[in-house]
Amino acid sequence: MAAAAAAASTSRLLLLRHHHHAAADGSKQQQQLRYSSKPSSLALPRLRLLPAAGALLPDRVTPFSYEEDDESDDHPREECGLVGVVGDPDASSLCYLGLQKLQHRGEEGAGIVAVGGDGKLKSVTGLGLVADVFGDPARLASLPGPAAIGHVRYSTAGAAASLRNVQPFLAGYRFGQVAVAHNGNLVNYQALRNKLEARGSIFNTSSDTEVILHLIATSLSRPLLSRICDACERLAGAYSLLFLTADKMFAVRDPHGFRPLVLGRRRNGAVAFASETCALDLIEATYEREVEPGEVVVVDRRDMSVSSACLVPHRPRRSCVFEHIYFALPNSVVFSHAVHERRTAFGRALAEESPAAGADVVIPVPDSGFYAALGFARASGLEFQQGLIRWHYSGRSFIQPTQAIRDLAVKLKLAPVHGVIRGKSVVVVDDSLVRGTTSSKIVRLLRDAGAREVHMRIASPPVVGSCLYGIDTPSEGELISNRMDLEGVRREIGSDSLAFLSLGKLHSIYGAEAEGYCDACFSRNYPVLPTLPEPVVELEE
């Protein structure tokens, strides 16, 4: 056993990721992971102790910085969406459709890994939207087989999108092939990576997901289920995972249940997993239940048996409340609650706390503010109207040379309905307020359209902390509510009044369940803190 541990500690793990993409020579190469436990025969070089690495977290969770002139939507961004299907001959096509439905969870890269009839795993990944990556029908046609997993992702804003980081990752190690897709973020990523690299592991991506593959490959446990559990016991933070091998699919959720993952079944008996139930609905899979926090669900495609195992001992549930506030589609069920009902309740509670006396009409900021505005209007007895129309085809607004042109670009994305707004006292309901840039533009837009008054109502508490668990949020210095008090924010965005849903009122909506939700972006109460990496030992040539 000691010899095996020594061999594992000196192992070399090399991830070579070659995607099926449109290369100049049209070649298609398969990803593979090579594992060798052969110790080095070289003399031990002199060691030099270096200071600890500066970054506590992987690049994909470091709070990003918006450019000053960036006209992108002023909301946090979900980073990943997952879909998995096993037991259906059209598994990859079903994953493709499911990923289309989860496009809002990641727009910069997409991929699918499928098991072919020969038991070999094949991968197609690429940068861009799902429809762009799989625009060539030959790409999906190259992924036949009864089981597949898919992934959509965002990369860190301000950093160039990299094909190497697009998931699922497909690897080969001494016991066969394994693919993994991950939604979340590991707060001990850098510490784990430092240890693995010190023992000889070689990394080919900047994604924290690659750490999971290295931990599985170097685990001494048997069989693969035990290796997965062994690896996950060393992870800290948020992770919903789908693993695919030649004969099994594994669905894993972290013990706190930060990110969602649900299970459904098609009429032909195929089992499906997804980040949201809207993806199950599209592929005609009936929603059965959540994958529970700390659970591993195993589906054996040979007999379609489904089994479950406990990943780690029970820990307090801390599901992300922002899934209900903004991220998930309103027609999804997330954390066992209908999203549209939660948002309607937020708007109703906001009206009870902060009514807008004398207002004429309530309008939502499309699209995510719709149900909160509807709840506000119903509770306050005010007329509900669509006073802003979002144009969905403008794409990203690149930095423009003058302020006048930048203002016109904003009007391309959001257009006022003058007949609803002109001469009216308008209540504008949005799901959240992050930097305040979008809110200030909306206020100016409505005033230019003839609004007599503009009252902003935000159906969540002030965002004062950055997320550590898989959501791109600005640094705390860029969060307007972290820099200013309520009156300061109101003056900054230019509205006649401003109110947020209080944290206490948000908790009251959930009642006894409130303790089971992570609200660190509002309270700075982080359930899992980052792990400081240990000093790095470097081998000199």
Side-chain angles (χ1 to χ4, degrees):
M1 191 72 178
S9 68
T10 57
S11 64
R12 300 295 185 265
L13 188 61
L14 178 60
L15 180 63
L16 303 175
R17 307 195 61 252
H18 301 290
H19 303 268
H20 289 290
H21 62 283
D25 60 358
S27 65
K28 295 183 177 180
Q29 298 170 294
Q30 185 174 331
Q31 308 168 35
Q32 39 185 329
L33 185 79
R34 295 175 181 168
Y35 177 94
S36 171
S37 59
K38 182 179 179 180
S40 171
S41 59
L42 299 176
L44 185 67
R46 184 169 62 87
L47 302 180
R48 178 163 60 91
L49 190 66
L50 297 179
L56 300 183
L57 302 171
D59 66 344
R60 62 191 294 274
V61 79
T62 302
F64 64 81
S65 176
Y66 289 96
E67 296 294 335
E68 180 179 356
D69 294 326
D70 185 6
E71 304 293 353
S72 60
D73 193 21
D74 183 20
H75 286 98
R77 301 191 310 181
E78 177 60 79
E79 291 196 342
C80 297
L82 311 177
V83 179
V85 177
V86 57
D88 195 292
D90 297 317
S92 61
S93 295
L94 293 171
C95 278
Y96 166 76
L97 293 172
L99 292 178
Q100 289 264 34
K101 199 64 176 179
L102 297 179
Q103 189 72 85
H104 61 286
R105 301 184 74 90
E107 299 181 357
E108 295 187 10
I112 295 173
V113 172
V115 178
D118 58 359
K120 299 293 185 182
L121 275 62
K122 298 180 181 179
S123 171
V124 173
T125 60
L127 296 174
L129 301 177
V130 176
D132 297 330
V133 175
F134 295 95
D136 182 351
R139 292 191 169 187
L140 267 182
S142 71
L143 297 172
I149 60 173
H151 188 272
V152 290
R153 80 179 295 269
Y154 272 120
S155 67
T156 305
S162 172
L163 186 60
R164 293 182 307 167
N165 289 333
V166 178
Q167 299 180 38
F169 289 166
L170 173 58
Y173 73 129
R174 53 181 170 170
F175 296 108
Q177 290 180 298
V178 60
V180 61
H182 172 208
N183 176 28
N185 182 76
L186 307 179
V187 298
N188 64 338
Y189 157 77
Q190 195 63 58
L192 290 173
R193 177 164 178 159
N194 286 357
K195 290 179 181 178
L196 287 163
E197 288 180 326
R199 295 171 182 172
S201 292
I202 300 173
F203 284 77
N204 196 48
T205 76
S206 59
S207 169
D208 56 350
T209 308
E210 192 179 352
V211 161
I212 301 170
L213 288 174
H214 284 266
L215 292 174
I216 289 173
T218 57
S219 170
L220 301 178
S221 298
R222 303 288 186 278
L224 180 59
L225 174 60
S226 296
R227 299 170 80 91
I228 290 173
C229 292
D230 183 44
C232 289
E233 285 178 358
R234 300 178 62 184
L235 306 180
Y239 53 91
S240 287
L241 302 164
L242 290 179
F243 294 94
L244 183 64
T245 67
D247 52 21
K248 291 185 177 69
M249 185 177 294
F250 302 81
V252 184
R253 197 158 166 227
D254 72 78
H256 293 287
F258 283 107
R259 306 257 69 85
L261 190 61
V262 295
L263 181 154
R265 196 180 297 267
R266 285 170 51 81
R267 284 192 295 267
N268 62 0
V271 175
F273 299 95
S275 294
E276 295 182 33
T277 60
C278 63
L280 299 183
D281 295 339
L282 180 62
I283 64 173
E284 297 181 335
T286 302
Y287 167 62
E288 291 189 355
R289 66 177 181 88
E290 285 187 280
V291 176
E292 294 296 328
E295 182 185 17
V296 184
V297 178
V298 185
V299 183
D300 191 323
R301 75 176 182 90
R302 293 168 296 186
D303 59 7
M304 291 306 296
S305 61
V306 180
S307 58
S308 175
C310 180
L311 184 66
V312 294
H314 174 74
R315 295 176 187 171
R317 183 172 181 138
R318 292 293 184 268
S319 299
C320 175
V321 72
F322 236 100
E323 292 283 353
H324 288 159
I325 291 170
Y326 172 68
F327 292 125
L329 288 184
N331 58 323
S332 284
V333 174
V334 173
F335 308 138
S336 301
H337 288 285
V339 174
H340 78 280
E341 292 180 354
R342 293 284 93 176
R343 291 179 186 168
T344 303
F346 298 154
R348 187 167 54 246
L350 181 60
E352 294 169 359
E353 271 196 327
S354 304
D360 300 310
V361 64
V362 177
I363 68 171
V365 175
D367 294 309
S368 54
F370 181 90
Y371 283 98
L374 185 62
F376 189 100
R378 288 175 175 173
S380 57
L382 294 174
E383 181 184 9
F384 174 83
Q385 287 277 6
Q386 283 281 76
L388 291 168
I389 304 301
R390 180 177 293 277
W391 181 252
H392 292 275
Y393 310 103
S394 60
R396 179 179 171 83
S397 297
F398 292 95
I399 297 174
Q400 303 295 341
T402 66
Q403 184 62 49
I405 299 299
R406 288 196 292 271
D407 289 343
L408 291 178
V410 174
K411 292 181 180 180
L412 177 62
K413 288 188 174 182
L414 285 175
V417 181
H418 292 266
V420 172
I421 294 165
R422 187 180 297 114
K424 302 285 184 64
S425 175
V426 181
V427 179
V428 186
V429 180
D430 203 355
D431 56 86
S432 58
L433 193 154
V434 182
R435 292 181 302 150
T437 52
T438 297
S439 297
S440 63
K441 292 179 176 68
I442 289 173
V443 171
R444 290 202 307 269
L445 194 67
L446 294 175
R447 292 199 190 283
D448 290 344
R452 187 177 78 251
E453 295 176 338
V454 180
H455 303 277
M456 289 294 302
R457 294 295 182 268
I458 309 300
S460 62
V463 177
V464 296
S466 296
C467 179
L468 304 181
Y469 311 118
I471 296 171
D472 254 342
T473 49
S475 64
E476 291 193 358
E478 294 175 282
L479 300 172
I480 190 170
S481 294
N482 192 50
R483 297 186 288 108
M484 304 177 183
D485 61 12
L486 181 65
E487 177 59 19
V489 175
R490 185 200 66 77
R491 288 196 301 267
E492 182 73 13
I493 67 174
S495 60
D496 293 283
S497 71
L498 170 68
F500 293 83
L501 182 66
S502 70
L503 186 57
K505 194 71 170 178
L506 178 67
H507 288 168
S508 71
I509 293 170
Y510 286 93
E513 295 182 19
E515 292 184 358
Y517 284 86
C518 176
D519 58 13
C521 52
F522 308 131
S523 66
R524 294 198 187 93
N525 181 22
Y526 293 95
V528 183
L529 295 175
T531 302
L532 287 171
E534 297 176 357
V536 178
V537 176
E538 184 181 81
L539 304 180
E540 287 190 345
E541 294 290 339

